[in-house]
Amino acid sequence: MKKKKASSILAIVTALSVLAGCGGGSSAPAATGTSNGSAVQGENKSEPVAISIMANLHTPEVPSDMIEKLLEEKTGTKLEIQWVPDGTYDEKVNASFATGTLPQVTYLKNAASLVNMRDAIRNGQFWEIGPLLDQYPNLSRLKPEVLKNTAVDGKIYALYREVPLSRQGIIYRKDWADKLGLSAPTHIDEFYNMLKQFKENDPDGNGKDDTIPLTDRNDLVYGAFKTISSWLGTPNNWGEKDGKLAPEFMFPEYMETMNFFKKLHQEGLINQDFPVTSKTDQQNLFITGKSGVYIGAMGDVSSLHPKVVEVNPDAELDVQNKIEGGPNGYGIWSVPGYGSVILFPKTAIKTEEDLNNVLTFMDQLMSPELGNLIYWGVEGTHHKLEDGKVIPSEDTKLTDREVKPYQAIQVGGPLTIEGFYEPKHMLPVKAKSEEMITENNDYLIEDPSAALDSKTFNEKGVQLQEMIKDGTYRYMLGDIDEAGFQSVVDNWLKSGGQQIIDEFNVSYSSSK
């Protein structure tokens, strides 16, 4: 189900780091969000407002408290940030919830963590904030469609940290394509022809038949499969059929995608062991010049480029997104729009006045001044501005230590923070990739089940999806035929899949 969206947002940095940091404090006047989104000094208070936070840490050590102290100074707060290593984050959140010791501002790890917290939300353990957001000038800028994806029974309990809706596209060896007289593909037939030419016409010029056109990995979502499936018009996880929801693998476009990959495998146009290839090995095939096409996040071009040209200084990379395959034109699958969500436990926030203090602080984090501080750090120390755009410091260790962890407490992001700085890309193909990521916003295929609920899905969904994943790979490798794949689907239905369909459709009907 393709849903067109207008977008005039300029290209921005999309690989948001999920990191975190430790305590510190100062006594400063309180700040409030103004109508234009800036943080300004407000009414003096004898004591700063205490705000407790739990955030995810992706670095070996907690960060410097430089950013934390600046946040305290500008918001009139005393912050207590509990940084929890990523590997044990969900465990810590669950343990703190069980003992009633969650902080006032609780960042969940990801969408799955929110699903696991839905029953607690229904039981009144967290504050409903949806009706309050219009009172805060910056929080009111959060996207309704993304907030809807975080909803529980249609009610909003969470703020969110923004992620790009769709980064997907191709990165390819433009020098190979130029040598063979190929332009960027705009249709799946042209894409197939590029792979065919990369296989048969010695694009690397070594006189050997040794190139693997497409490099892929053991991931049906973030590898090549789901993106190509989007080109062919497959729904995103779930789609509507005769007024009811059905899983994507019950649609003919899913079978068409499997047949396309089966053809690529049979003709040697993809690495033969792609169902068991790691992302590292997938990228190494591209970096070393053994493969010419990589499908995934287009922003990966910034990390792949220096490695590719180190192996071959004459290599040139390019990106492309709009490749049509189905009758409805180009479409691309979308994530729900958030990387993590923020909940507000009633055990830590006792009164509406306390909730207002916390939401006022969260609103200030979305001001241009503090939004840029959290993401980019201090001008002159962690970055410089040129033509109004950011050039990050070359001292990446300093930035990693003092800035990146605080991105974990970001609220919203570049699409919702007015005046958020854009990066000045030094690599033209990186700038192009960012423009295409923004362009994807006009062609999104959304997941209609994002905010729906199914008890059986929560209990068995991961296990049942493995069944479909295994059947999909077996079909593409030629181990089973169409009847064999239908048997896998039938087994999925009998093992709990039909209950998931029924439960999602009950939730879907009530959400309309």
Side-chain angles (χ1 to χ4, degrees):
M1 317 289 195
K2 190 184 322 180
K3 180 178 180 181
K4 297 266 184 177
K5 290 187 176 180
S7 170
S8 61
I9 307 297
L10 294 173
I12 42 80
V13 167
T14 61
L16 295 177
S17 304
V18 186
L19 306 168
C22 70
S26 67
S27 175
T32 58
T34 67
S35 60
N36 66 4
S38 62
V40 298
Q41 295 300 326
E43 182 180 346
N44 287 337
K45 293 186 178 181
S46 57
E47 294 292 337
V49 177
I51 303 287
S52 58
I53 301 171
M54 183 185 291
N56 201 345
L57 181 66
H58 281 252
T59 54
E61 300 178 1
V62 296
S64 156
D65 64 359
M66 174 189 291
I67 302 298
E68 183 175 338
K69 288 184 178 296
L70 288 171
L71 291 175
E72 289 178 326
E73 176 185 345
K74 293 176 182 296
T75 60
T77 58
K78 170 72 173 177
L79 300 181
E80 180 187 341
I81 306 178
Q82 183 181 3
W83 302 100
V84 180
D86 178 69
T88 59
Y89 194 77
D90 274 338
E91 180 183 342
K92 178 62 176 178
V93 169
N94 292 334
S96 298
F97 173 73
T99 57
T101 57
L102 284 175
Q104 294 168 308
V105 181
T106 299
Y107 286 78
L108 299 187
K109 185 173 181 177
N110 51 34
S113 304
L114 176 60
V115 169
N116 293 334
M117 203 61 78
R118 278 177 177 166
D119 285 342
I121 291 171
R122 289 193 180 96
N123 291 334
Q125 300 296 311
F126 297 91
W127 286 93
E128 181 187 355
I129 61 170
L132 307 176
L133 296 183
D134 284 344
Q135 301 175 22
Y136 302 92
N138 299 314
L139 296 180
S140 65
R141 293 176 59 84
L142 292 171
K143 299 291 186 183
E145 58 269 28
V146 179
L147 288 170
K148 180 182 176 182
N149 287 337
T150 73
V152 177
D153 299 334
K155 297 180 180 180
I156 306 300
Y157 296 84
L159 304 178
Y160 65 87
R161 184 179 59 79
E162 179 185 299
V163 295
L165 292 168
S166 184
R167 303 168 177 165
Q168 309 309 307
I170 75 170
I171 303 171
Y172 67 98
R173 286 288 296 270
K174 186 176 185 300
D175 55 317
W176 287 13
D178 289 346
K179 177 183 177 182
L180 301 178
L182 301 172
S183 56
T186 59
H187 190 276
I188 196 164
D189 292 341
E190 295 174 1
F191 174 73
Y192 170 78
N193 181 58
M194 172 179 278
L195 299 183
K196 195 80 169 173
Q197 296 294 320
F198 280 6
K199 171 69 176 174
E200 297 176 350
N201 292 327
D202 191 25
D204 58 359
N206 68 355
K208 300 178 182 179
D209 182 16
D210 60 353
T211 49
I212 303 169
L214 174 63
T215 176
D216 195 24
R217 64 180 186 265
N218 57 346
D219 188 336
L220 290 179
V221 178
Y222 295 101
F225 184 86
K226 194 171 181 71
T227 296
I228 291 178
S229 191
S230 292
W231 300 345
L232 294 170
T234 308
N236 182 2
N237 295 331
W238 290 74
E240 190 171 310
K241 181 185 293 185
D242 300 325
K244 293 189 175 182
L245 291 185
E248 61 184 353
F249 51 82
M250 288 187 173
F251 286 77
E253 294 87 352
Y254 192 93
M255 176 62 66
E256 187 179 355
T257 307
M258 291 197 297
N259 283 329
F260 185 78
F261 272 80
K262 185 176 182 179
K263 181 179 181 180
L264 297 184
H265 185 261
Q266 290 174 338
E267 296 181 6
L269 304 183
I270 190 171
N271 48 310
Q272 295 294 284
D273 59 350
F274 72 97
V276 293
T277 299
S278 68
K279 182 176 181 179
T280 298
D281 289 342
Q282 175 203 20
Q283 291 190 341
N284 281 339
L285 286 173
F286 190 76
I287 290 166
T288 56
K290 295 178 181 177
S291 175
V293 180
Y294 172 90
I295 297 180
M298 289 183 287
D300 287 349
V301 72
S302 61
S303 60
L304 290 172
H305 180 271
K307 297 174 182 177
V308 169
V309 297
E310 182 179 356
V311 174
N312 183 351
D314 296 325
E316 185 178 357
L317 302 186
D318 205 352
V319 291
Q320 172 69 338
N321 61 338
K322 293 175 64 176
I323 299 176
E324 299 183 5
N328 296 321
Y330 176 63
I332 192 66
W333 66 277
S334 168
V335 299
Y338 61 88
S340 60
V341 300
I342 308 138
L343 294 177
F344 306 96
K346 290 184 177 179
T347 53
I349 303 174
K350 302 294 186 181
T351 68
E352 291 184 4
E353 181 181 359
D354 292 337
L355 179 62
N356 176 63
N357 287 337
V358 172
L359 291 179
T360 296
F361 169 73
M362 305 306 287
D363 186 71
Q364 292 162 0
L365 295 188
M366 278 191 70
S367 69
E369 180 184 3
L370 300 190
N372 284 312
L373 174 65
I374 289 170
Y375 192 81
W376 296 111
V378 178
E379 184 180 357
T381 301
H382 306 112
H383 71 271
K384 63 180 180 180
L385 291 177
E386 189 173 295
D387 301 325
K389 297 186 178 182
V390 169
I391 299 178
S393 169
E394 294 182 1
D395 188 350
T396 56
K397 290 183 179 179
L398 177 69
T399 302
D400 289 347
R401 182 172 65 251
E402 295 185 348
V403 181
K404 284 192 175 182
Y406 288 92
Q407 293 171 0
I409 66 169
Q410 188 173 43
V411 186
L415 298 178
T416 49
I417 297 176
E418 189 174 7
F420 191 87
Y421 292 148
E422 298 174 37
K424 183 163 185 166
H425 296 297
M426 309 306 288
L427 184 65
V429 71
K430 171 63 174 174
K432 184 177 180 180
S433 75
E434 299 296 344
E435 292 170 0
M436 287 185 170
I437 289 168
T438 299
E439 185 181 43
N440 274 349
N441 288 336
D442 293 333
Y443 303 92
L444 300 175
I445 303 174
E446 297 177 336
D447 178 3
S449 72
L452 303 183
D453 200 27
S454 161
K455 180 180 179 183
T456 307
F457 179 82
N458 296 344
E459 295 172 351
K460 299 182 177 181
V462 174
Q463 170 191 345
L464 290 177
Q465 187 57 35
E466 283 298 313
M467 188 183 298
I468 298 299
K469 180 179 179 180
D470 179 68
T472 299
Y473 279 127
R474 289 172 62 202
Y475 183 91
M476 293 188 294
L477 294 178
D479 295 338
I480 58 174
D481 58 12
E482 191 167 340
F485 184 75
Q486 185 58 50
S487 295
V488 173
V489 174
D490 292 341
N491 191 27
W492 181 87
L493 290 167
K494 294 175 185 176
S495 302
Q498 186 60 56
Q499 289 173 272
I500 293 175
I501 292 175
D502 294 342
E503 291 166 3
F504 268 147
N505 275 288
V506 168
S507 182
Y508 186 55
S509 296
S510 64
S511 69
K512 290 183 176 180

